[in-house]
Every structure is written in structure tokens, then in C-alpha cells.
Amino acid sequence: MTRIDDLVVIGAGPYGLSIAAHAADAGLGVRLLGRPMASWRDHMPDGMYLKSEPWSSNLSAPDGRHTLADYCATRGLAAEHGTPLPIDTFSAYGMWFARQAAPEVEEVTVTEVTPQGDGFRVRTAEGPPLLARTVALAVGVMPFVHHPEGLRELPPAHYSHSSGHRDLTRFAGREVAVLGAGQAALETAALLAEQGARPCLVARRSRLNWNTVPQPLDRPALRALRDPHNGLGTGWRSWVWSELPWAVRRLPASTRERIAATALGPAGAWWLRDRFERRVPVLLGHRLHRAVAVGERTRLGLSTRAGESVVLDVAHVIAATGFVPDLARLELLDAGLRAGLGTVGHSRAPELSPCFESSWPGLFFAGLLTAPSFGPSMRFVHGAGFTAGRLVRGVRKRLGARGPRPGSTGVARFDRAAYPGRPPGVPPGHPTTYLR
Ligand SMILES: Cc1cc2nc3c(=O)[nH]c(=O)nc-3n(C[C@H](O)[C@H](O)[C@H](O)COP(=O)(O)OP(=O)(O)OC[C@H]3O[C@@H](n4cnc5c(N)ncnc54)[C@H](O)[C@@H]3O)c2cc1C
């Protein structure tokens, strides 16, 4: 008889690992697919540090164990408030969590998820397809790399995205323009300078923002009340985003879209400022409008706010321009299914039920794509705990709602009452129901 799993989790980063740990604990038949901690092990340069505080960078196991502090204690390392933690330590923590708390990770690449019966068929690059009653897509940030207009046509020798580098030493002795004003841009530029390259930071903003040194955890009660600590920083606004993602989801779609676009804008970590300012020249208030390869060089056409044109001639451009959640780019998901999903307002992110289920029954999302539904904490490791608990509750509900599989004639239907956003647009030829 063909094996059908209760849940297939696609992606083994902080979210996928946490979801799988909760699902296994709930007694679900779960498979976890993906290269564990791939974004952290393969797509961040050596020498980077976590920006989040160690106590808000835990993966989530149902019993609250296997925290970053637990891992560090076993290795004689410190994970202290106000002390930046190397990303290598965080990657190693994720791998340890995978061994201790999650079901076995199958290191495969998923190429296709298609509806089958009232469940899904999941194809991988490596082996035969799997069947699943529910699927959780926790594919993280890499499918959503943002390439700025104007750079896309440059050959790879002239242009790359910041997520394309583990080793920046290959730029030693060369001029590199780094585009962006967020932590990735500032830290990439500082690391380039420290590793012998000659970087220049180019940003549209007229000034750079820097976070201040975090306040101590133990403070007088009045100060703590005025400016509470939370998983994303300090202050009441970020406290709501961090601690009440369920409440964020109840806001109107247009408000959530605005929060997703503007909350926690680009800013450098407090510990990076001195390293950056001592070594990296900046061109602020400059907008890129053109880039051409000229022999081995790259010529950038920039313009200032006053309308002046500036030409910057470098060996290479690195765009540290982040990631934009966009269902259209999730090519592994069946195109018809994708096009039919309900989305948040005008965004291309899925509208989700309180338990992270999309408008396609049994299809769940986690991580960056869920930020327009549940708010900015979904962009950070901190959101993994809330997500894992809720999502697994949703999977159990869905499996319960379908009843026992053998002989069932379950019908997958869009549950309109569960979605505050616009209903799914259904493309011609793609019905919203599939009979088995
Ligand atoms: C430079 C940088 C620094 C950051 N620093 C911080 C920080 O300090 N603190 C913080 O909280 N957050 C930070 N973040 C954000 C961080 O990426 C997220 O918090 C976290 O990684 C999200 O976890 P995730 O599981 O959703 O995604 P990811 O970590 O991206 O993991 C996704 C997983 O999915 C797998 N996958 C993707 N596609 C497929 C496929 N087709 N088949 C199989 N598997 C697949 C990948 O292999 C990967 O393991 C940073 C991000 C960047 C880029």
C-alpha cells in the first residue's frame, strides 16, 4: 500500500525544524525535507554575527528545551544578552537541535508540490514522489532574493546578491560597490574592508540608521514598563509585533501590508557601527539607474536627489537588497494552485487562517511569506515558536476534519469564514475543489 504521511515539512531551517519537532511530539506521521540550516550554512559570509539577542533566537521544541543557551552550555560557550553571537555558532545550534529534537531530516530538494486527492504529491530531485495529507512550506528566504532593476542583466562576474557569498576574501584588493542600507549591506561592507577589499556603500537613504546598545535585562520597574524588552527589541510597538502575532493577523489587510513594508526598517547593529564607520566610504542619497559591464569593470550610473549624475566605476557590485515575499516565485508549488491562493490585500503573500493554513485546505506556510499575515516577528527566528505550535494545531484540525483516510471521500474546500482578506482569485481551468 502506498505510504501517505500526515505532514510533509519542506525546509529544514529554524521554522521547518521547529514545526517538525512539534509535529512529531503530537504523534503525527511527519517527514522533514531539505538541507538543514542551509540559509545560515551556505548563504551568509564567514565572520557574520547574529543581530538578534541570543535569548530571542531559539528554535522551538514543545517542551521548551533545546534552547540556544542549552546548546551553548553543552559546548562551554556564552550566549549572553548584549554579546553578539557568531552565525557559525547559531548554525551549529540548529544542527544540534535537528539531532536532538526533530525527526530525521531528509536532505533532498523538493521540485514540485501538486494537489492529489485531498492531499498532495511532493516530488524531489533525488527520489520517488511522496504523498502527504498536509504540507507545510517552510522554504525560508532564498526563493525570494530581491535583485534590483538595473543589475539583473549584468553577468555574474560583475554582480551578485549578498546571499551568494560565504567567502568574501575573493574580493581582496578589488573595489566593490555594496547596495543597501540594512544590516546585511553594512556588515558585508565592513567584512569586505576587513578582508582586504575596497568597498563603497551606496544607498538611496540620506542617512544610515544604527541601533543603540541594548538596555540591560534587569532594570528599574518604571523603565522596564516604559520600554519593555521583547523578541524584536525594546518598546511597546515591537512588543505587540513580537508577543501578539495573532492580534496582528486580525488587523485589516491594508494595515498589515503597511506594517510588513515599513516595520523595523533598515538599521545596523550597535556593535557594527565602529567597524563600519572606520573603514567604509559611503554614497548616501544616491539612486542606481543604470549598470553596464565595461570590459572587466562595472560602471554604475547613479543620481542624487538634486538630480546630479554620478558614475561609479568598480570591479563588482553586491546587492544587499534583501528578500521580497512573493508567491509567484515559489515555483515548486503547482502554478494553478499558487495562482488560486487568497492573498493579503495587494501583496503576493498568502492570506492565512489563525493556524497558518492557506486558502487551499491542508497547505500551510511558515516564515517570511507569513509576515504580511502575522507581522514582522515572522521574519525572525523569534517567530518560530508561535508558528510551530499554531501550525501543528492547524494540521491536527485539518486531519481531524477530513476524518479517517481509508474509504473517505473528503473534499478540499476554501473555508471563507477563516480568511479576513480577499478570497482567492481562481484562474480558468483550476477549480477550488479537488475530488479524490
Ligand atoms: C544575512 C542575514 C542575517 C540574518 N540575521 C538574523 C538574526 O540575527 N536573527 C534572526 O532572527 N533572523 C535573522 N535573519 C533572518 C533569518 O533568515 C530568519 O530568521 C530564519 O532563517 C528564518 O528561518 P526559516 O526556517 O523560515 O528559513 P531559512 O533559514 O531560510 O531555511 C529555509 C530552509 O528551506 C530549505 N529549502 C528551501 N527550498 C527548498 C526546497 N525546494 N526543497 C527543500 N528544502 C528547501 C533550505 O534548505 C533551508 O534550510 C537573517 C537573515 C539574513 C539573510
Side-chain angles (χ1 to χ4, degrees):
M1 210 168 109
T2 315
R3 169 176 166 178
I4 305 176
D5 294 291
D6 290 330
L7 170 66
V8 166
V9 180
I10 302 173
Y15 279 76
L17 288 165
S18 301
I19 292 164
H22 281 252
D25 185 71
L28 298 180
V30 55
R31 288 177 83 164
L32 173 57
L33 313 181
R35 178 168 154 76
M37 299 300 284
S39 295
W40 298 83
R41 291 159 73 201
D42 305 335
H43 298 283
M44 297 186 195
D46 285 329
M48 270 197 169
Y49 287 85
L50 276 196
K51 194 180 178 200
S52 53
E53 290 297 331
W55 56 266
S56 66
S57 307
N58 294 312
L59 277 65
S60 173
D63 51 10
R65 289 167 56 221
H66 308 299
T67 63
L68 178 56
D70 291 341
Y71 168 75
C72 287
T74 67
R75 299 292 188 277
L77 304 167
E80 286 164 6
H81 179 72
T83 306
L85 193 94
I87 56 157
D88 284 350
T89 306
F90 183 72
S91 303
Y93 161 56
M95 300 302 285
W96 175 82
F97 182 97
R99 290 190 299 274
Q100 302 284 325
E104 187 196 347
V105 186
E106 298 172 54
E107 201 164 323
V108 295
T109 303
V110 173
T111 53
E112 206 179 285
V113 176
T114 35
Q116 176 150 319
D118 62 2
F120 302 88
R121 190 183 63 229
V122 178
R123 285 190 188 280
T124 71
E126 288 82 0
L130 325 174
L131 297 179
R133 302 181 72 193
T134 62
V135 164
L137 280 164
V139 293
V141 296
M142 289 310 295
F144 309 112
V145 163
H146 176 63
H147 296 281
E149 214 41 74
L151 293 179
R152 292 175 191 170
E153 304 302 320
L154 284 177
H158 296 254
Y159 162 67
S160 54
H161 189 268
S162 55
S163 61
H165 301 289
R166 269 301 281 166
D167 177 11
L168 293 170
T169 57
R170 75 180 177 95
F171 294 108
R174 301 169 74 199
E175 296 109 343
V176 182
V178 179
L179 302 191
Q183 172 71 4
L186 302 169
E187 197 172 10
T188 299
L191 286 168
L192 282 166
E194 288 163 358
Q195 293 173 17
R198 278 171 285 154
C200 170
L201 187 101
V202 180
R204 283 179 303 193
R205 321 185 131 242
S206 51
R207 57 186 280 268
L208 296 175
N209 292 328
W210 294 97
N211 295 138
T212 51
V213 178
Q215 298 176 37
L217 287 176
D218 283 330
R219 294 171 296 164
L222 202 61
R223 278 191 67 192
L225 192 66
R226 231 181 13 229
D227 207 14
H229 277 294
N230 61 75
L232 303 179
T234 50
W236 281 106
R237 188 184 293 235
S238 60
W239 186 89
V240 171
W241 295 331
S242 157
E243 310 308 313
L244 304 178
W246 58 268
V248 175
R249 181 188 160 276
R250 294 191 175 176
L251 296 170
S254 56
T255 310
R256 285 181 280 134
E257 267 187 278
R258 186 166 38 78
I259 293 172
T262 58
L264 305 173
W270 61 274
W271 43 261
L272 181 63
R273 186 168 189 167
D274 183 53
R275 282 170 54 198
F276 177 88
E277 288 182 342
R278 265 191 297 133
R279 289 173 173 264
V280 183
V282 295
L283 281 177
L284 298 179
H286 283 66
R287 180 178 288 273
L288 173 78
H289 58 84
R290 194 154 174 260
V292 284
V294 181
E296 292 195 343
R297 308 285 294 175
T298 312
R299 195 163 292 163
L300 301 182
L302 309 170
S303 55
T304 66
R305 295 201 169 164
E308 253 177 274
S309 293
V310 175
V311 174
L312 188 64
D313 185 50
V314 291
H316 190 86
V317 192
I318 297 180
T321 41
F323 307 86
V324 177
D326 182 353
L327 274 173
R329 296 180 65 187
L330 206 50
E331 284 169 10
L332 63 84
L333 190 56
D334 176 80
L337 191 166
R338 218 181 331 139
L341 289 176
T343 52
V344 178
H346 298 100
S347 79
R348 299 216 209 156
E351 185 66 88
L352 300 168
S353 79
C355 290
F356 291 84
E357 190 174 19
S358 69
S359 56
W360 192 274
L363 181 66
F364 294 77
F365 286 90
L368 181 67
L369 269 174
T370 73
S373 285
F374 289 93
S377 62
M378 302 299 130
R379 284 161 34 197
F380 299 91
V381 177
H382 181 68
F386 174 82
T387 303
R390 283 266 179 147
L391 191 149
V392 169
R393 208 185 314 153
V395 169
R396 295 176 72 180
K397 219 168 121 190
R398 172 57 55 200
L399 294 176
R402 284 189 183 148
R405 190 170 169 89
S408 138
T409 52
V411 178
R413 273 185 210 289
F414 174 60
D415 177 2
R416 201 165 291 271
Y419 300 92
R422 75 176 167 88
V426 182
H430 289 285
T432 51
T433 60
Y434 276 85
L435 288 166
R436 298 200 290 145

